[in-house]
Amino acid sequence: PLTLLGILFPILKGGVSPTTTATAIFAALSIATVTYLRTHGAGSVARKLLLTTASLLFYSAWRWPFTALLLFSTVLDFNCARAIHRAPDQRRRRLYLTISLIGNLGLLAFFKYTNFLLGALGDLLGIAGLHVAIGPLPIILPLGISFYTFQTLSYTIDVYRGQLDPRESVLDLALFVSFFPQLVAGPIVRASDFLPQLDEEHRWDSKRAKAGLLLMCQGMAKKLLVADTLAPIVNQAYSSPSLYSGVSLLVATYCFAFQIYCDFSGYSDIAIGAAQVLGFEIPLNFRRPYFATNITTFWRRWHISLSTWLRDYLYIPLGGNRHGTLRTYKNLMATMVLGGLWHGASYNFVIWGTIHGVALAAHKLMMSLRHQHTVTDTKHPFSWIIHTAITFHLVCITWVFFRAETFSKSIAIIHRIFLDSAGLMVPWLFPAVLIPALLVSDSLQSRTGIIDTIVKYPRLSRATVTICIAVMLAIVTSSKPSDFIYFVF
């Protein structure tokens, strides 16, 4: 009842958009009905049907015609997986996998990269002296298409590899593809992690539900109190970089580093928490990435569901590190460039991925050279601060290309940061200013410890949830929160 009241309160207060109202009603009814079904032991088919219907309604609240894309991917991969499993030889198995890849990646390429490719073609013609006007087509990017495309591909690929049996019911796959908590912005859930949970008996667990609610509140706190507070600073500086000094632009870049972390990890917390309330477990997506002491460790902690997906379904199939050093570096570069393009269709994302690919290859090279020579370890006791600072600033440099709207703005921002005489002094503030801020923001990320302790005590957990919901409602109804950054991907 407390959760339902918290969801419906903004509607009762007034001033909420029709879409928000519909979403709130949907969330309240979904949680209430699923809780009733699980508490009263209704059949699993009813629960699956309810969650699938609710998820499709949730997605259709954005633009209902695009729900057909979800259904198309579901039906395509359901039939391809069954065909792969029944195929008499490897050639036909590979054929059905190819059909799945072309169908899913073809849709993603059309909606996400058509205008980018047309623009690149226009640039090439311009370089050749042929000035042909190639205008962008009126294509709307479907919400969350990058996320659910990778999810559904994991299903057919795992069936092809023999790591997963195809489902007998299309309803199971439909729920997996459209599951609403993480549908539009991740984490990217794999079929092998989600589908087996549909075969389990779900009983109401009040402790797990409270932990999920607290995790949702934690995610909202990251989003509303940190990310949305930093957003105006970043937007103002990056919209007109020529008006600001190197110091201001560097501070804005630092702000964006924490904005995107709290924004994206905040959404992941909300998705994981909501799934927990509904009785499902979704893998962790962030693990204190800004404490990484090298770029390899950073990618093991940042957007974990994407980095592991790219590793298992792209880097390793390309050959990984099995065919020599040069081939390993090529595979790293290809994986990170494609990872950059996954985020967006622009030159800036290509550069962002390329820099990360070069950094990963350089770190791997340094590690291999280090292992070839026996060196006495004489690290300074505070060397972790130095390594963390270097890694953080490398990531911040790449964030400039990620955040800036155009390549020219990216170069202008980096130019002013490094060549403005005052700007060079700011990095020295990192240990004094950013480490405490990092400790505060990352303390919110811990899913063990404080949340588990609170959940152990019923009165404390109820009071904490009540206070958190009240604070979040006060913030939400007194201001207009900005969209989550990763909604555009």
Side-chain angles (χ1 to χ4, degrees):
L2 175 64
T3 307
L4 301 184
L5 179 62
I7 294 172
L8 293 173
F9 177 77
I11 301 174
L12 300 176
K13 183 177 179 180
V16 180
S17 68
T19 302
T20 303
T21 301
T23 304
I25 293 175
F26 148 80
L29 293 177
S30 298
I31 293 174
T33 310
V34 170
T35 301
Y36 175 85
L37 288 176
R38 289 166 58 198
T39 303
H40 290 75
S44 60
V45 174
R47 185 173 62 250
K48 294 174 188 177
L49 185 60
L50 168 71
L51 284 174
T52 303
T53 303
S55 297
L56 293 175
L57 289 174
F58 174 81
Y59 191 80
S60 66
W62 173 64
R63 291 176 185 268
W64 67 266
F66 286 95
T67 308
L69 297 179
L70 281 175
L71 298 176
F72 171 80
S73 295
T74 299
V75 174
L76 172 67
D77 289 313
F78 176 76
N79 288 289
C80 284
R82 288 167 64 89
I84 289 171
H85 187 69
R86 296 173 179 175
D89 53 62
Q90 184 64 19
R91 185 182 64 82
R92 292 191 183 183
R93 286 167 52 82
R94 191 177 294 112
L95 171 64
Y96 294 129
L97 175 64
T98 302
I99 293 173
S100 173
L101 293 173
I102 292 175
N104 288 287
L105 296 179
L107 283 177
L108 179 63
F110 172 77
F111 284 101
K112 195 163 187 173
Y113 304 110
T114 297
N115 283 327
F116 172 67
L117 294 175
L118 289 176
L121 177 61
D123 294 339
L124 289 175
L125 292 176
I127 294 174
L130 301 173
H131 299 284
V132 180
I134 304 178
L137 300 177
I139 299 175
I140 299 174
L141 181 65
L143 189 64
I145 189 172
S146 298
F147 289 94
Y148 71 72
T149 297
F150 274 20
Q151 286 195 182
T152 187
L153 281 178
S154 75
Y155 173 68
T156 49
I157 294 174
D158 283 353
V159 171
Y160 175 80
R161 292 174 173 177
Q163 299 173 351
L164 187 69
D165 291 330
R167 307 299 290 192
E168 294 298 324
S169 172
V170 70
L171 182 61
D172 290 357
L173 190 62
L175 176 55
F176 163 65
V177 175
S178 64
F179 189 53
F180 72 85
Q182 40 68 236
L183 172 62
V184 294
I188 301 171
V189 181
R190 299 191 189 187
S192 57
D193 293 327
F194 186 87
L195 289 176
Q197 298 184 56
L198 299 180
D199 302 326
E200 301 171 357
E201 183 178 358
H202 291 266
R203 293 186 178 276
W204 176 253
D205 186 337
S206 60
K207 289 186 177 180
R208 180 166 61 180
K210 290 175 184 176
L213 286 172
L214 288 173
L215 194 57
M216 293 175 70
C217 291
Q218 171 182 295
M220 289 294 291
K222 286 182 180 180
K223 167 63 175 172
L224 298 173
L225 302 182
V226 181
D228 284 1
T229 301
L230 296 176
I233 301 173
V234 178
N235 294 340
Q236 186 173 352
Y238 270 71
S239 62
S240 303
S242 60
L243 302 179
Y244 297 93
S245 65
V247 173
S248 300
L249 293 173
L250 187 56
V251 170
T253 302
Y254 287 153
C255 289
F256 178 70
F258 287 98
Q259 178 200 359
I260 191 171
Y261 169 71
C262 290
D263 189 284
F264 193 19
S265 69
Y267 183 89
S268 294
D269 287 346
I270 294 171
I272 295 170
Q276 230 176 323
V277 173
L278 294 170
F280 294 88
E281 294 295 329
I282 292 179
L284 190 69
N285 208 24
F286 291 87
R287 192 172 62 249
R288 304 188 179 191
Y290 290 152
F291 279 108
T293 55
N294 57 69
I295 196 65
T296 301
T297 305
F298 172 81
W299 275 105
R300 291 172 181 166
R301 298 181 174 191
W302 176 274
H303 203 347
I304 300 170
S305 62
L306 174 64
S307 59
T308 54
W309 197 100
L310 292 173
R311 178 197 66 197
D312 295 342
Y313 296 103
L314 183 58
Y315 175 69
I316 292 177
L318 285 174
N321 57 1
R322 301 188 302 273
H323 302 289
T325 303
L326 183 60
R327 179 71 177 272
T328 298
Y329 297 153
K330 289 181 178 179
N331 293 338
L332 273 175
M333 288 298 302
T335 300
M336 294 311 299
V337 170
L338 290 174
L341 278 172
W342 177 89
H343 283 83
S346 75
Y347 295 120
N348 271 20
F349 287 113
V350 173
I351 295 171
W352 177 79
T354 300
I355 295 175
H356 274 282
V358 171
L360 287 169
H363 180 253
K364 185 175 285 291
L365 175 62
M366 287 190 296
M367 291 298 100
S368 64
L369 293 175
R370 182 179 180 183
H371 291 153
Q372 292 174 9
H373 301 84
T374 302
V375 182
T376 303
D377 192 358
T378 57
K379 287 185 177 180
H380 191 275
F382 296 101
S383 63
W384 70 271
I385 297 180
I386 298 173
H387 286 88
T388 301
I390 292 173
T391 303
F392 177 79
H393 282 85
L394 172 61
V395 172
C396 282
I397 291 173
T398 65
W399 282 144
V400 173
F401 292 96
F402 193 98
R403 174 59 181 83
E405 297 172 357
T406 61
F407 175 74
S408 59
K409 281 189 177 181
S410 303
I411 297 301
I413 291 169
I414 292 177
H415 181 271
R416 294 184 74 85
I417 288 175
F418 282 96
L419 296 185
D420 188 325
S421 59
L424 296 176
M425 298 175 62
V426 177
W428 295 100
L429 299 177
F430 178 81
V433 178
L434 293 181
I435 288 292
L438 188 62
L439 290 170
V440 172
S441 65
D442 268 311
S443 66
L444 296 171
Q445 175 64 13
S446 177
R447 295 179 58 195
T448 60
I450 186 169
I451 289 182
D452 290 343
T453 301
I454 292 173
V455 170
K456 289 181 181 178
Y457 303 97
R459 292 183 179 179
L460 177 61
S461 61
R462 283 196 295 268
T464 304
V465 171
T466 302
I467 293 172
C468 289
I469 290 178
V471 172
M472 293 303 108
L473 288 175
I475 296 173
V476 170
T477 55
S478 63
S479 61
K480 184 180 180 181
S482 58
D483 289 339
F484 284 93
I485 294 174
Y486 267 68
F487 277 8
V488 299
F489 303 134

